[in-house]
Amino acid sequence: MAAILDTRSPFGTYRAERLVRAAWRLADRHDLSKSLRRRIRALVSWVFSGPYDLEAEGLKFRIYPGENYDDRKILAKGRLPERDEHKLLEPYLGNGKLFVDIGANIGSYSIFAAQKGAEVLAVEANPHTAAKLKFNIRANGLENVKVVETAVGPKEDTLPLWLEPSNYGFATLVKDLTTGEWAGNWSPTFVDVKPLTAITDDEMLTRIDVLKVDVEGFEDRVLLPFLRHAERSLWPRVILLETNCRPYWTEDCLSELANRAYKVTGQTNDNMVFELTA
């Protein structure tokens, strides 16, 4: 059962009671088989779809656990997802820094970076998720985050963005990704696509301190055209690149980053951090 999207009620309207938290902790137990966990999650989603208003590590989120992985993690664990990635990025954030978040989802990176003092450009292609992102930014009283609603790719275009209702944060422009391991109830919605160079021109950016790219197998088509066409002065000092969908890339980002003097300075199960060394 789909949750009702509410971006108008004030934060704190929806409380997550103990039973809700316990149910979602059960649905998130990784000692259970994947198939059993999926069945439990479907039942819990039906009964406790949300929304719920929660604070995690001092940040406020209105979450919809039935339809987003990050939301489920916040509710089940009481903390932000991608904790290891945040630790890797934190030394590069702070006052006067610019963080560009491609694939911003509900804002777990953007709001974290903004709280650290960085100016943030949050780019999100899915209109449904972008509405949640904007609410979470307002709930935290942040004025240093700007949201751009577009997909990012090699050229101006209109493309199908594939959505799966149990995890809207896993929206993808790569149709091949919707089968096999990630097979589900996928459906397309058409979205505008812009190159990152066009976005940086529109926003009159003169530098990027940290760039995060997490777009479910489309990372190469976001990053490589930018590095090939942008002025070198605009190359990010630090890049956080999601690599868990690397088999769906059409070009290898890692070799090109190495050729452009980027060095790996951190790695997690799903992401790699690169720093420009020359």
Side-chain angles (χ1 to χ4, degrees):
M1 182 171 63
I4 297 172
L5 180 64
D6 181 358
T7 59
R8 295 182 177 272
S9 300
F11 182 85
T13 299
Y14 303 101
R15 294 182 60 189
E17 305 292 352
R18 284 186 179 180
L19 181 58
V20 175
R21 293 174 181 269
W24 278 108
R25 281 197 294 271
L26 175 62
D28 191 56
R29 280 182 53 175
H30 283 256
D31 58 333
L32 304 175
S33 70
K34 184 180 289 187
S35 61
L36 178 57
R37 195 163 67 242
R38 185 179 293 125
R39 291 197 296 272
I40 294 172
R41 188 176 70 217
L43 176 60
V44 173
S45 296
W46 181 263
V47 181
F48 301 116
S49 59
Y52 303 106
D53 292 337
L54 296 174
E55 290 196 35
E57 300 178 29
L59 304 179
K60 298 176 180 178
F61 295 90
R62 174 161 291 170
I63 64 170
Y64 302 77
E67 59 183 42
N68 196 299
Y69 174 87
D70 280 6
D71 297 54
R72 290 194 283 275
K73 289 298 179 184
I74 291 171
L75 182 53
K77 297 186 179 300
R79 61 169 177 81
L80 296 180
E82 298 104 10
R83 235 182 187 179
D84 292 340
E85 286 82 355
H86 290 176
K87 287 179 182 177
L88 290 172
L89 291 185
E90 188 170 2
Y92 305 106
L93 301 171
N95 294 332
K97 302 298 184 181
L98 179 65
F99 177 64
V100 177
D101 187 355
I102 309 298
N105 202 339
I106 64 165
S108 61
Y109 279 96
S110 286
I111 293 171
F112 171 80
Q115 186 210 38
K116 298 299 179 184
E119 294 293 321
V120 177
L121 184 67
V123 183
E124 174 54 46
N126 182 359
H128 186 73
T129 303
K132 298 176 184 179
L133 170 64
K134 290 176 182 178
F135 176 89
N136 292 335
I137 292 166
R138 293 195 302 272
N140 286 278
L142 297 170
E143 297 182 354
N144 52 335
V145 185
K146 181 174 181 179
V147 176
V148 175
E149 292 187 50
T150 186
V152 184
K155 63 180 182 178
E156 300 266 356
D157 209 342
T158 301
L159 293 174
L161 179 70
W162 292 89
L163 307 174
E164 211 289 326
S166 70
N167 189 6
Y168 281 126
F170 198 59
T172 181
L173 292 168
V174 182
K175 190 175 188 301
D176 287 349
L177 191 143
T178 65
T179 61
E181 178 184 356
W182 288 298
N185 186 27
W186 295 88
S187 61
T189 184
F190 283 82
V191 296
D192 291 334
V193 180
K194 297 180 72 171
L196 184 51
T197 48
I199 294 171
T200 57
D201 286 347
D202 291 345
E203 301 301 323
M204 296 183 288
L205 302 186
T206 58
R207 75 181 199 289
I208 299 174
D209 294 297
V210 182
L211 172 68
K212 172 218 150 197
V213 186
D214 176 353
V215 286
E216 320 308 346
F218 212 65
E219 289 82 12
D220 58 319
R221 282 149 282 188
V222 171
L223 180 60
L224 298 186
F226 179 72
L227 293 176
R228 290 165 183 167
H229 298 293
E231 295 291 334
R232 198 178 192 283
S233 60
L234 200 54
W235 290 6
R237 176 189 171 195
V238 174
I239 298 171
L240 175 76
L241 183 69
E242 186 181 55
T243 54
N244 67 341
C245 294
R246 185 180 174 187
Y248 296 91
W249 294 352
T250 58
E251 294 187 83
D252 182 26
C253 294
L254 306 190
S255 60
E256 182 140 356
L257 284 167
N259 290 338
R260 293 175 185 270
Y262 280 95
K263 179 182 178 182
V264 177
T265 57
Q267 188 168 355
T268 67
N269 288 337
D270 296 328
N271 296 275
M272 297 177 73
V273 175
F274 301 83
E275 186 169 0
L276 188 60
T277 58

